[in-house]
Amino acid sequence: MTELSADDDRRYDPKALLTLLRTFAVVVLRGMTLTPVEQVELTRGLGEPQVDPDTYNRHPDHPELFVVDNSGDTPVVGNNHWHTDGSFLRQPVRYTMLKAVSLPQSGGDTLYADLQTAYEKMPPQWRDALAGATGLHTYDRIAAERADAHNNPAVLAASSTHAPVRHPIIRAHPDTGAPVLFVNDLCLARIESDDGAPVALSVADLIAHATQDHFVYRHQWASGDVVVWDNARALHRSDFTAPLARVLHRTTTEGDIPSGYEVGAK
């Protein structure tokens, strides 16, 4: 993680942000003033903005902007699970930008785990077991939680628009080529070896390893905060489950099809 203070002009420069994101999984921008239009345009400097499939929580005037609000009638689901955004897509989300709009007096932190460091600190036998393995990512759990949250079984039909996809468990970072663990407690249904043999490690094993305290940055939100992160390297989750008067605006960019890391690659 790195932080740009309220007097640092790089906060509004997407090229500068992309340079920082090659080194740091998470970039915190302090003292930002961004309208919804300005947030979408700053995001566009990082990549092509995406429109979230959750129609309940899109901004009424800007479909690329997603309103993260768990206190109202249309709660956002799944954000208390460790996840990367959009891993159920063939081209998962690359960058996410989250802007503080309304904050509670306390609580509502967001946690980030560094998946590149998690791979580096993984036991060698784990790396061997996961070499060439793939993960099956599905939209089913999100659809089920949305149907329950909105008391609308028809929401489950949305899962049929997202066929399950397979991504490498150890991916090559799209910029640096470094090996990165690619897991998701929300969407990763199972792990499959490249030769069909059972993989001894479970999704829960990998999530527990990747989210140890020394891999995690806890962001305590303040007014004017914007956080940008690289979903090719960072897991995240909200640190609360009960309704909380916290509103954030989220934008995301389209990513590439993940490539598997080949041992010995440079």
Side-chain angles (χ1 to χ4, degrees):
M1 186 280 292
T2 191
E3 178 177 318
L4 301 185
S5 63
D7 59 357
D8 193 323
D9 292 339
R10 291 178 296 169
R11 295 172 301 150
Y12 295 94
D13 182 351
K15 290 184 179 179
L17 297 180
L18 286 170
T19 297
L20 290 170
L21 286 162
R22 286 181 63 90
T23 302
F24 302 98
V26 179
V27 178
V28 176
L29 313 177
R30 301 289 192 181
M32 295 287 280
T33 56
L34 286 178
T35 66
V37 170
E38 290 169 338
Q39 181 174 347
V40 171
E41 288 310 303
L42 183 58
T43 302
R44 194 181 306 279
L46 306 179
E48 184 63 29
Q50 286 195 322
V51 175
D52 195 277
D54 182 357
T55 58
Y56 285 93
N57 295 287
R58 290 178 192 163
H59 191 284
D61 301 318
H62 307 283
E64 306 96 336
L65 196 150
F66 186 78
V67 180
V68 181
D69 181 359
N70 281 83
S71 63
D73 295 330
T74 58
V76 176
V77 303
N79 56 3
N80 59 323
H81 298 280
W82 283 106
H83 65 287
T84 61
D85 289 331
S87 76
F88 57 86
L89 299 170
R90 185 168 177 266
Q91 295 178 236
V93 167
R94 180 63 193 278
Y95 299 113
T96 298
M97 181 181 295
L98 206 56
K99 173 184 178 290
V101 177
S102 177
L103 298 173
Q105 291 186 346
S106 63
D109 298 351
T110 302
L111 279 60
Y112 298 90
D114 188 336
L115 293 172
Q116 182 172 317
T117 304
Y119 176 83
E120 293 169 356
K121 302 299 184 182
M122 186 181 292
Q125 61 268 30
W126 284 28
R127 291 199 292 267
D128 293 342
L130 295 174
T134 59
L136 183 71
H137 295 250
T138 76
Y139 188 72
D140 296 350
R141 186 172 184 180
I142 299 174
E145 291 198 11
R146 282 182 176 156
D148 182 62
H150 302 303
N151 194 27
N152 182 1
V155 174
L156 284 171
S159 63
S160 65
T161 65
H162 298 286
V165 295
R166 287 174 170 80
H167 296 308
I169 290 292
I170 309 301
R171 71 182 294 183
H173 189 275
D175 291 336
T176 67
V180 181
L181 182 62
F182 189 17
V183 291
N184 186 331
D185 187 42
L186 186 59
C187 299
L188 181 55
R190 66 175 182 268
I191 302 170
E192 303 171 339
S193 67
D194 60 344
D195 60 1
V199 174
L201 298 166
S202 68
V203 176
D205 291 332
L206 298 179
I207 294 290
H209 167 74
T211 59
Q212 295 175 76
D213 288 346
H214 49 285
F215 300 147
V216 172
Y217 162 67
R218 174 183 290 271
H219 184 72
Q220 297 177 313
W221 290 93
S223 179
D225 278 1
V226 171
V227 181
V228 187
W229 67 90
D230 181 0
N231 284 282
R233 181 171 170 179
L235 280 174
H236 66 283
R237 74 170 179 89
S238 295
D239 192 27
F240 66 94
T241 54
L244 191 69
R246 188 193 74 162
V247 179
L248 308 171
H249 281 176
R250 187 186 76 192
T251 44
T252 57
T253 72
E254 183 177 284
D256 299 322
I257 298 172
S259 298
Y261 175 75
E262 296 182 10
V263 177
K266 296 182 179 180

